[in-house]
Amino acid sequence: MHSVLNKLFLIILLCFGILHCKQPNETRKGFVEVADKSKIEYQIQGSGDTTLFFIHGWCINKEYWSNQFDYFSKKYTVIAIDLPGSGASSKERSDWDFNQYANDIHEVISQLHLKKVILIGHSMSGDIILKADNLFPESMIGLIGIDNLHSPTGPIDSAEHAQAVAYFDHMEKDFDSTVIKEAKANLFQASTPDSIVQRVMKDILTTNHKLAVDILRALFEISRTEKLMESKLAHTLCLVNSDVNPVQMDSLVKYCAKGVKVYTVHATGHYPMIERPLEFNVALQKAIWKQ
């Protein structure tokens, strides 16, 4: 009787362990503290040899990549972060310079010991991945822009710069109406589901207005250097873009030092990863294979 009870107890322990152990493909979350003491929240899933590092765009967060986690984590290690200023990451940074964003990416890669990293940056993060490639080419094996970098931009004259400064000043004073006007014109298509429009607009409009505009100011400054950054790339630039806004291939081929490849998702707004996730994932997989 005693031996039977022992066996039963052992079975119960084994079952309990099985039920409560970490599943091999579950999502894990944590924080990385970077040089200026900002804390960056990340989530990571999978255990593949290659790491897909997803970086979100302006005023959104890492949850926009949820449709990619289960799809790609079966084969790859998949990580997404909240950039400082967004989501659960620190928002106290006084300088939103994109060089610091590139340093943030490098810090996450280094501290988490990520290997064979492909940077995947949506919207404004196109400039982050360009800068990261320029500064830390050894930290990655490839880079993919998502609905961005349609044509390289360069320096502008003082009058154009003054006009941009005035626009951002106006935007900070009248944030909601400016965003609503610009979003309708630039972020969505008639086919974009209302649920996605509402989600994006809520995330933008609930972001601290000064922080949001300061990040746009910093984006504007770094975007003037895209031609220079692209001329110094150590890797081929791949893009997965909506086909609504055509990519100016002649210009990109001229400046991208290691070439450019473009894959399209049909007729979406600025958020193809949540508007048409299945089609987007297939296009992204093609871009990944080119790295």
Side-chain angles (χ1 to χ4, degrees):
M1 182 69 176
H2 183 69
S3 62
V4 172
L5 289 175
N6 282 342
K7 288 180 180 179
L8 180 60
F9 183 65
L10 179 60
I11 291 170
I12 291 171
L13 286 178
L14 287 172
C15 290
F16 184 86
I18 290 170
L19 290 173
H20 288 79
C21 70
K22 288 186 177 181
Q23 296 304 307
N25 203 35
E26 73 173 3
T27 300
R28 294 94 67 195
K29 288 189 176 183
F31 284 91
V32 167
E33 184 175 296
V34 294
D36 70 348
K37 305 303 181 183
S38 293
K39 292 184 178 180
I40 297 175
E41 185 174 78
Y42 67 87
Q43 62 183 41
I44 191 168
Q45 186 172 323
S47 58
D49 292 337
T50 298
T51 302
L52 306 184
F53 194 137
F54 289 94
I55 313 166
H56 64 78
W58 182 66
C59 289
I60 58 175
N61 54 64
K62 64 182 179 300
E63 304 304 324
Y64 279 64
W65 302 112
S66 61
N67 289 313
Q68 284 65 61
F69 261 64
D70 285 340
Y71 185 92
F72 287 103
S73 63
K74 296 177 179 67
K75 182 177 180 181
Y76 304 97
T77 296
V78 179
I79 183 170
I81 64 168
D82 284 333
L83 289 167
S86 300
S89 294
S90 298
K91 300 175 178 64
E92 292 75 32
R93 183 173 284 174
S94 58
D95 184 358
W96 300 101
D97 181 85
F98 273 53
N99 288 308
Q100 182 58 56
Y101 274 143
N103 287 327
D104 295 336
I105 301 306
H106 180 62
E107 282 283 326
V108 174
I109 292 171
S110 298
Q111 292 190 37
L112 297 182
H113 307 290
L114 303 177
K115 305 298 183 185
K116 297 176 66 176
V117 175
I118 299 174
L119 295 183
I120 303 171
H122 171 249
S123 190
M124 75 170 193
S125 291
D127 284 325
I128 296 176
I129 67 175
L130 293 182
K131 178 57 71 173
D133 183 282
N134 285 180
L135 295 176
F136 311 107
E138 72 286 349
S139 294
M140 66 199 73
I141 63 169
L143 63 163
I144 302 172
I146 307 301
D147 208 54
N148 53 23
L149 303 174
H150 295 79
S151 62
T153 57
I156 57 176
D157 61 34
S158 58
E160 290 173 309
H161 191 274
Q163 185 179 14
V165 169
Y167 174 80
F168 291 130
D169 288 344
H170 166 75
M171 185 179 190
E172 187 174 333
K173 294 175 183 176
D174 195 8
F175 186 82
D176 286 6
S177 63
T178 303
V179 165
I180 291 169
K181 177 182 177 182
E182 295 294 332
K184 289 181 178 179
N186 298 298
L187 298 183
F188 309 113
Q189 294 296 303
S191 59
T192 303
D194 288 342
S195 59
I196 289 177
V197 174
Q198 292 167 8
R199 175 185 181 182
V200 172
M201 295 304 297
K202 179 182 178 181
D203 286 339
I204 296 175
L205 294 173
T206 56
T207 300
N208 177 280
H209 295 178
K210 185 178 187 310
L211 184 156
V213 177
D214 283 348
I215 292 174
L216 282 183
R217 289 187 176 106
L219 172 61
F220 174 76
E221 294 300 332
I222 196 172
S223 69
R224 302 305 100 195
T225 70
E226 282 179 2
K227 291 179 179 179
L228 179 61
M229 289 193 293
E230 289 173 357
S231 71
K232 295 181 177 181
L233 289 177
H235 301 91
T236 299
L237 175 63
C238 286
L239 301 176
V240 179
N241 288 358
S242 169
D243 60 7
V244 170
N245 297 310
V247 172
Q248 296 184 13
M249 284 296 293
D250 289 348
S251 296
L252 286 174
V253 168
K254 178 180 178 181
Y255 289 101
C256 289
K258 299 297 183 179
V260 58
K261 300 286 185 182
V262 179
Y263 306 87
T264 58
V265 182
H266 182 59
T268 71
H270 190 45
Y271 306 88
M273 63 280 201
I274 59 173
E275 291 185 50
R276 294 196 179 185
L278 295 180
E279 185 180 346
F280 173 82
N281 289 345
V282 170
L284 180 58
Q285 181 65 79
K286 292 178 182 177
I288 291 166
W289 283 335
K290 288 296 182 180
Q291 304 303 309

